[in-house]
Amino acid sequence: MRKVIIIGSGPAGYTAAIYAARANLSPLLIASSVEAGGELMNTTEVENFPGFPEGIMGPDLMTKMQEQAEKFGTEVVYDDVTAVDFSGDIKSITLGSGITHEAEAVVFATGSAPRKIGIEGESRLSGRGVSYCATCDGFFFREKAIAVVGGGDSAMEEATFLTKFASKVYVIHRRDELRASKIMQDRALANGKIEFVWNSEVVDILGDDAVSGVRLRNTVDGSESDLALEGVFVAIGYDPRTHLVHGVLDITEHGTIQVDGRTSRTSVPGIFAAGDVIDPTYRQAVTAAGSGTVAALDLEHYLAARGDAGAPAQDASEIQDLPTPA
């Protein structure tokens, strides 16, 4: 039996592993068999992660995080969790291989996945002009014509942000009115670089090795037309990967795992959550890493209170009562 199992191999999972390993808890980290490393594995150059002034490729950053976690004693298993049992004092997880692991504490850091349009060109050109993160990839579209697909707050935020780089930003929306809040709408509508393409849905993304345009279908009359572009940002929402814990952990109205205040403690003692799976707002690598730190520290206190760790015993609830630095 393990002290700690960490489910998820993004910045939150690996940071939690680094801290837990340095505390001599010898964590087992379950990385996906096909999506190990999380969303950063699909990102090109990351320029906003502290410590890399020249930037770093997303996969390289995740490799370094994994190496650091393993250096301190984390064991990484490439498999998928198919079932969990958090009902008892000892927690168990079952993998796709059929193997079951048990632990006294679990960190759930499975992240979130961007919703996709679901068309062939989208998957084929992902990372080649199709992106799901303006703050990650906007810089690479300087002076280019691009489009944002969506009509909510996230789409307006991404479109406005992308005008810092692109020569033209089209917002493609299925209806003739936006779902976004009024302040976000007003900001986008007042931006001279943004042009709205109403009552239109993307039915194909064009290009061989890179995006060259999109094929649109008018949702009113069914007519189709092509729009020349060099990039497509899909901003139709994110879905936290919580399917394993529906009915097991409390879930918020946003679909994320409910935690207690600024802690990582979930509704089940011994289960901690970190990263995008608890964050419907920021979804950045650095905030996920910070969240992983919180989870590791919370579980250390939890184990210490059980008498299972080397640190002085302390109720985890005391952490949130510490004074906030000025």
Side-chain angles (χ1 to χ4, degrees):
M1 184 179 70
R2 304 276 179 161
K3 295 290 186 187
V4 180
I5 293 175
I6 298 167
I7 304 173
S9 56
Y14 275 128
T15 303
I18 291 167
Y19 273 75
R22 291 185 73 252
N24 295 321
L25 296 176
S26 302
L28 173 67
L29 185 145
I30 308 299
S32 170
S33 62
V34 294
E35 295 181 333
E39 289 302 309
L40 280 182
M41 298 300 289
N42 300 318
T43 303
T44 52
E45 191 170 13
V46 179
E47 295 184 315
N48 55 5
F49 198 90
F52 298 94
E54 304 302 322
I56 183 172
M57 300 297 286
D60 293 340
L61 177 59
M62 296 318 304
T63 297
K64 288 181 178 294
M65 286 189 176
Q66 178 176 347
E67 290 174 352
Q68 190 171 359
E70 291 178 324
K71 171 185 176 181
F72 293 114
T74 300
E75 180 184 352
V76 178
V77 172
Y78 296 98
D79 206 337
D80 299 302
V81 177
T82 58
V84 299
D85 184 355
F86 297 157
S87 59
D89 198 38
I90 301 303
K91 320 303 180 183
S92 70
I93 65 166
T94 302
L95 304 182
S97 61
I99 296 173
T100 296
H101 293 280
E102 294 183 332
E104 296 177 52
V106 173
V107 175
F108 202 83
T110 51
S112 65
R115 292 185 196 135
K116 298 184 178 180
I117 302 171
I119 53 179
E120 186 275 331
E122 178 184 23
S123 57
R124 178 169 51 84
L125 295 171
S126 179
R128 300 181 179 183
V130 174
S131 175
Y132 302 89
C133 179
T135 56
C136 302
D137 300 328
F139 179 83
F140 301 103
F141 293 87
R142 285 188 178 274
E143 300 305 316
K144 295 182 179 181
I146 61 177
V148 173
V149 182
D153 278 354
S154 61
M156 297 307 102
E157 184 176 1
E158 297 224 334
T160 302
F161 176 82
L162 288 166
T163 60
K164 297 179 181 181
F165 309 103
S167 59
K168 184 78 171 182
V169 178
Y170 295 93
V171 173
I172 301 170
H173 187 44
R174 291 175 52 87
R175 291 177 283 276
D176 59 359
E177 60 181 7
L178 300 169
R179 303 188 312 274
S181 59
K182 188 175 187 305
I183 189 170
M184 296 299 293
Q185 291 188 42
D186 291 345
R187 189 175 299 162
L189 289 166
N191 194 309
K193 278 191 174 183
I194 298 176
E195 179 177 333
F196 287 82
V197 183
W198 303 106
N199 296 318
S200 298
E201 60 181 352
V202 178
V203 294
D204 198 5
I205 298 178
L206 310 175
D208 295 325
D209 298 322
V211 169
S212 62
V214 293
R215 180 155 297 148
L216 304 175
R217 177 183 297 136
N218 187 286
T219 57
V220 176
D221 60 24
S223 62
E224 294 189 356
S225 61
D226 292 348
L227 178 62
L229 298 167
E230 294 180 83
V232 178
F233 286 79
V234 180
I236 55 178
Y238 280 78
D239 294 315
R241 294 186 174 102
T242 58
H243 60 281
L244 286 170
V245 294
H246 285 177
V248 178
L249 303 178
D250 288 350
I251 304 296
T252 72
E253 62 181 6
H254 302 291
T256 53
I257 295 175
Q258 177 73 57
V259 292
D260 183 10
R262 296 182 63 187
T263 77
S264 65
R265 299 193 302 270
T266 71
S267 56
V268 174
I271 307 300
F272 305 87
D276 286 7
V277 79
I278 67 170
D279 176 13
T281 305
Y282 300 105
R283 296 191 305 269
Q284 298 295 305
V286 68
T287 54
S291 181
T293 301
V294 171
L297 296 176
D298 283 346
L299 72 86
E300 282 185 60
H301 284 276
Y302 170 80
L303 293 175
R306 288 166 52 93
D308 295 329
Q314 178 182 352
D315 190 322
S317 64
E318 297 176 15
I319 298 173
Q320 66 182 16
D321 296 327
L322 297 176
T324 302

